[in-house]
Amino acid sequence: MDNLAARAGRWSAEHWKTAVIGWIVFVVAAFSLTVFLQSRDLTSAEASTGNSKVAEEIIAGAGFPEHAGESVIVQHPGLRADDPAFVAVVRDVTSRLGATANVEDLQAPTGPGGKGLISKDGHSALVTFQVPGSDSQTSKRIEPVMAEVRTLQRANPGYAIEEFGDASANHELDDTIGADLRRAEQLSLPVTLLVLVVAFGALVAASIPVVLAFTAVLATFGLSALTSHLLPGDDVTNSVILLIGMAVGVDYSLFYLRREREEVAAGRDHRGALRIAAATSGQAVLISGATVIVAMAGMLLAGDATFSSIAVATMSVVLVTMVGSLTVLPALLSKLGNRVERGRIPWLGKRLEPRRGRHQAGVWSRILDRVLRRPLLSAVSATVVLLLLAVPALGLRTKTTGLADLPRDLPIIKTYQRIQAAFPGSSVPAVVALRAPDVTAPPVRAAIDELHRRAVATGQMSEPVQVQVNPSKTVALIDVPLRGDGENATSMRALETLRGEIIPATLGRLDGARVGVTGDTAGSRDFSQLLRERSPLVFAFVLGLAFLLLLVTFRSIVIPLKSILLNLLSVAASYGVLVGVFQHGWGASLIGVEPGGSITSWLPLFLFVVLFGLSMDYHIFILSRIKELLDRGEPTGRAVERGIKATAGTVTSAAVVMVAVFAIFAGLRLIDLKQLGIGLAVAVLLDATVIRGVLLPAAMALLGEWNWYLPSWLRWLPRLHRGERSPVPAGAPRPVATAAPGVPATAANSLPAPEGTSHTG
């Protein structure tokens, strides 16, 4: 069998020094880019969509100095804001904060700009100010201010004196959730290594996939820093690179290494075993990688800059990992030989030894025997289980997560809730951006005042409505607090009223004016609308290209249709579990969450793309093994049985690695990452068990020779390697391969024939 992967493996084995040293130089050079190049993050305008993007573009070109808005609430359960004692405390807070460095544009309820800074019940007052600088600067500059607020709280024990704003929230969230995320990333390596030690029973063999995957991730970090100057990245890009890179990197190395070890155990010399592993598992890695890249490319069609940056990052890490698996891995194996088994764990190594060289898969072998005896019953049962799991997905609701979805035990979130209760919407207001020749002109000022009056009169919006004007007096920003928590239906209705009724009746009548509305609520609404419009295009692209790739790979029209259907079943079941846990609360207490009634809006599309790509890894690996046996002349039923039994252990090990890593992310405090971790872990678990262990073999057994049906008008499709058989009509007899002298029958029946010999007789 001669193909690109076989040629790459052969060259790498013959030039192992060049391959290994070249990889090391590449990784070091690529990773060094993170030192010399600072990644360019998305700007607010680049990350926005719809009308929010209009507003952000107005703001970006207005020349406003960078700053973070902050608020300090002063609250007493028994005193009102006009009581002398309450007024004295507010004045003390105002004077102390005004004397603190980096506090600008301070406004207090006792001053001329204090309108709207006292709550309706009179028991709460706000002191607002700004901290100058970028996000990274304000996160540091806010520390003395937060310390001063804590001092004021200690000096006034009968009052609640607490701070909330962009800078203080970023500071606390970076310290808590940022540390949580870093800990999860650090845990992924030892957990992966532990699972592989159990799988191989030897430290060296277990370390190779981890080292190769991690070096690929490091190289991609550098490449991502470079590409960010063409396509800016996002805060989550590096986390996604690590998550996907470790998953596919370990999978690819595991497929390759286990096949090489299997061939050695079956009697092949190291050179022959490596050649066969390259031509078979290496080719499966090549096709799997291409399929994952195709799936990830679908995110480019989402029309969102964040999705595009994640798509490029994941495509890059899969490509780098694939190249490393096809070159560095065979180079290392050719040099190490049997030394790859060094560091054997005595008891574990002896327990695994009896399985080497035999097509046995323990419990999976027994399950498969029962599935193939009753394929129809097995297929129907597995399908019913998956459909039942998928039923809750019919009620899937999405929303963009915000501050209200962060862990409620965080002090900053408790403060946010306190301010939100007293001054609804003031912490995350809608921002109306108005550009006009002169926003201080009387007609414009009158229109802004009319917007203010009408907004508060609706009851859907509230005080304080605040206005900022840029130095050139061409842009005005009007902060309009919306009722609700910023993400619920109340806030969305208020936004629609603001955009659809109030603005057209006020600012919309100004000649030469341009108006947009941004803010957390507006951004969430526009992003969700974009996903609803673009998701069908992404789904069609991914499914269509995956179909074409599998059609060419397996020269069958049935295989790609069946593969797509099975993957859709696993994705739908994963959606159903997510809805059951996070919307209905089934088992939510076990993972420490309260059901929020919705799934984060970006997750369904992202999960579909990622899961479709990752699940294809297993599917292609198993089908490649089945087709390898089929090309040698095995009947379809026998090829299915032996192919799945031979790959079950590898697929199980790879799935356990993925599930373990994803489960770590499911243990984080951020609800987005919890949902991501649960969704990925459940889908991979179902894919490796119900789909690959039951539904796939049952479906292939039922279809028989129809699995390989290719219409005559598609016979022109190219062959990816020599040695493939042409499709055999249903019912045609097949010759059975015989063992060559000196080669065990099991080895003869599991290996491709030497180059130049026939595979069909």
Side-chain angles (χ1 to χ4, degrees):
M1 191 182 294
D2 188 27
N3 50 45
L4 179 60
R7 292 192 290 273
R10 185 164 57 246
W11 181 90
S12 299
E14 294 172 355
H15 306 85
W16 71 270
K17 286 185 179 179
T18 303
V20 173
I21 294 173
W23 178 257
I24 294 173
V25 170
F26 164 69
V27 171
V28 171
F31 185 68
S32 66
L33 293 174
T34 60
V35 178
F36 300 108
L37 287 176
Q38 184 175 4
S39 297
R40 188 168 87 82
D41 293 334
L42 288 165
T43 64
S44 296
E46 291 169 332
S48 302
T49 60
N51 189 251
S52 297
K53 189 176 185 70
V54 173
E56 294 292 350
E57 288 173 346
I58 292 173
I59 296 170
F64 283 103
E66 288 188 291
H67 67 269
E70 293 288 313
S71 299
V72 173
I73 187 171
V74 180
Q75 192 176 67
H76 195 285
L79 299 178
R80 295 178 59 85
D82 55 357
D83 290 334
F86 196 109
V87 172
V89 171
V90 170
R91 285 177 175 168
D92 186 32
V93 170
T94 303
S95 62
R96 298 275 290 269
L97 290 178
T100 306
N102 296 312
V103 172
E104 299 179 352
D105 299 327
L106 187 144
Q107 293 187 355
T110 55
K115 182 182 179 182
L117 296 180
I118 296 176
S119 64
K120 279 191 172 183
D121 64 5
H123 292 290
S124 303
L126 281 183
V127 178
T128 66
F129 58 93
Q130 295 178 355
V131 179
S134 63
D135 287 346
S136 59
Q137 291 172 327
T138 57
S139 182
K140 296 176 182 177
R141 291 174 179 175
I142 199 64
E143 291 182 23
V145 183
M146 296 173 68
E148 189 63 48
V149 171
R150 288 192 293 268
T151 301
L152 286 164
Q153 175 66 86
R154 288 193 296 270
N156 299 276
Y159 294 79
I161 303 176
E162 299 171 357
E163 179 181 357
F164 177 85
D166 293 337
S168 54
N170 286 340
H171 181 79
E172 287 207 15
L173 292 177
D174 285 346
D175 287 346
T176 54
I177 296 174
D180 198 24
L181 184 58
R182 287 190 295 272
R183 186 166 56 251
E185 292 172 347
Q186 293 165 359
L187 277 174
S188 63
L189 284 179
V191 167
T192 301
L193 183 60
L194 178 62
V195 173
L196 292 178
V197 166
V198 174
F200 285 106
L203 291 175
V204 173
S207 300
I208 289 175
V210 176
V211 171
L212 189 56
F214 190 63
T215 53
V217 167
L218 292 179
T220 309
F221 283 160
L223 297 178
S224 180
L226 179 63
T227 58
S228 71
H229 291 270
L230 298 174
L231 187 66
D234 188 78
D235 292 341
V236 302
T237 300
N238 280 349
S239 295
V240 173
I241 288 174
L242 177 66
L243 193 68
I244 302 300
M246 291 302 298
V248 300
V250 169
D251 272 8
Y252 295 164
S253 298
L254 192 60
F255 295 165
Y256 207 120
L257 183 54
R258 286 289 286 263
R259 182 59 188 268
E260 190 270 347
R261 290 288 85 196
E262 179 186 323
E263 302 304 338
V264 169
R268 292 275 181 171
D269 59 29
H270 291 291
R271 188 181 185 87
L274 189 56
R275 178 179 65 82
I276 292 167
T280 54
S281 291
Q283 182 74 353
V285 166
L286 185 63
I287 298 167
S288 296
T291 308
V292 175
I293 290 173
V294 165
M296 300 302 176
M299 285 190 285
L300 295 173
L301 301 178
D304 178 74
T306 301
F307 271 136
S308 295
S309 68
I310 292 175
V312 171
T314 51
M315 291 164 68
S316 299
V317 76
V318 171
L319 179 62
V320 171
T321 300
M322 185 172 63
V323 171
S325 300
L326 296 178
T327 57
V328 184
L329 187 56
L332 290 173
L333 294 179
S334 68
K335 179 60 179 174
L336 289 173
N338 278 333
R339 286 175 291 180
V340 77
E341 299 284 357
R342 285 188 174 177
R344 296 286 293 276
I345 310 300
W347 173 82
L348 190 58
K350 289 180 180 179
R351 186 179 65 83
L352 296 175
E353 187 65 33
R355 297 184 184 179
R356 298 177 185 271
R358 300 207 320 259
H359 297 295
Q360 299 293 329
V363 66
W364 282 117
S365 179
R366 295 190 290 274
I367 292 174
L368 187 61
D369 289 339
R370 290 170 172 78
V371 167
L372 294 179
R373 279 200 297 269
R374 297 179 178 84
L376 181 59
L377 176 62
S378 300
V380 171
S381 301
T383 302
V384 168
V385 169
L386 293 172
L387 289 176
L388 287 175
L389 289 174
V391 165
L394 296 174
L396 187 146
R397 297 188 299 273
T398 63
K399 74 168 187 177
T400 302
T401 53
L403 289 167
D405 300 293
L406 291 171
R408 297 183 182 180
D409 59 341
L410 293 177
I412 197 73
I413 302 305
K414 292 180 179 179
T415 302
Y416 162 76
Q417 292 171 336
R418 187 187 297 274
I419 295 176
Q420 187 72 8
F423 301 89
S426 63
S427 299
V428 282
V431 180
V432 180
L434 167 66
R435 185 167 67 194
D438 183 2
V439 296
T440 62
V444 179
R445 294 298 307 175
I448 293 175
D449 291 340
E450 179 66 9
L451 180 145
H452 183 168
R453 186 189 66 78
R454 290 195 180 201
V456 175
T458 63
Q460 294 178 297
M461 288 152 265
S462 59
E463 298 284 4
V465 176
Q466 298 177 317
V467 181
Q468 302 176 57
V469 176
N470 70 332
S472 62
K473 299 180 181 180
T474 58
V475 174
L477 300 183
I478 308 153
D479 290 353
V480 182
L482 306 177
R483 296 282 182 176
D485 64 6
E487 301 293 338
N488 61 10
T490 301
S491 297
M492 293 300 171
R493 283 193 296 270
L495 176 67
E496 288 302 306
T497 301
L498 178 63
R499 280 180 169 175
E501 299 177 16
I502 296 175
I503 289 178
T506 56
L507 305 183
R509 295 181 177 180
L510 296 171
D511 293 333
R514 189 185 186 203
V515 185
V517 181
T518 185
D520 288 355
T521 305
S524 172
R525 178 60 178 258
D526 293 340
F527 180 69
S528 297
Q529 180 64 31
L530 177 71
L531 290 185
R532 281 193 294 270
E533 294 172 357
R534 293 297 189 98
S535 290
L537 180 62
V538 175
F539 276 59
F541 174 84
V542 172
L543 296 178
L545 281 188
F547 175 84
L548 293 176
L549 186 60
L550 293 176
L551 175 66
V552 173
T553 300
F554 295 104
R555 293 182 59 80
S556 163
I557 199 170
V558 176
I559 288 293
L561 289 173
K562 184 175 58 184
S563 301
I564 288 172
L565 180 60
L566 295 183
N567 281 319
L568 289 177
L569 275 174
S570 66
V571 171
S574 175
Y575 285 175
V577 172
L578 278 176
V579 171
V581 173
F582 293 96
Q583 286 186 203
H584 302 310
W586 302 339
S589 60
L590 299 177
I591 56 174
V593 298
E594 295 182 15
S598 60
I599 305 299
T600 185
S601 57
W602 59 267
L603 191 59
L605 180 63
F606 182 79
L607 270 182
F608 166 75
V609 171
V610 172
L611 291 176
F612 195 87
L614 294 182
S615 62
M616 277 297 184
D617 277 356
Y618 304 147
H619 204 73
I620 291 172
F621 179 61
I622 294 170
L623 287 177
S624 296
R625 190 62 173 267
I626 293 172
K627 192 171 188 301
E628 177 190 337
L629 294 166
L630 204 70
D631 288 341
R632 264 185 40 267
E634 291 274 4
T636 295
R638 179 66 172 157
V640 169
E641 179 184 359
R642 295 185 60 197
I644 294 180
K645 285 185 177 180
T647 55
T650 305
V651 169
T652 300
S653 299
V656 170
V657 170
M658 281 198 187
V659 171
V661 172
F662 296 153
I664 293 173
F665 281 79
L668 301 183
R669 304 179 76 181
L670 275 179
I671 191 67
D672 302 56
L673 294 178
K674 275 185 178 293
Q675 292 179 357
L676 176 63
I678 292 292
L680 290 172
V682 168
V684 170
L685 183 62
L686 291 174
D687 194 76
T689 54
V690 180
I691 297 288
R692 310 305 162 202
V694 180
L695 198 50
L696 173 63
M700 295 198 75
L702 288 171
L703 290 171
E705 286 299 329
W706 284 103
N707 284 291
W708 315 105
Y709 173 70
L710 185 70
S712 58
W713 51 274
L714 287 176
R715 296 291 173 86
W716 56 268
L717 289 173
R719 297 179 185 274
L720 296 186
H721 55 71
R722 297 196 307 269
E724 283 187 316
R725 69 173 180 87
S726 296
V728 177
R734 296 181 178 279
V736 178
T738 56
V743 179
T746 54
N749 285 335
S750 62
L751 306 177
E755 294 180 18
T757 61
S758 170
H759 287 256
T760 56

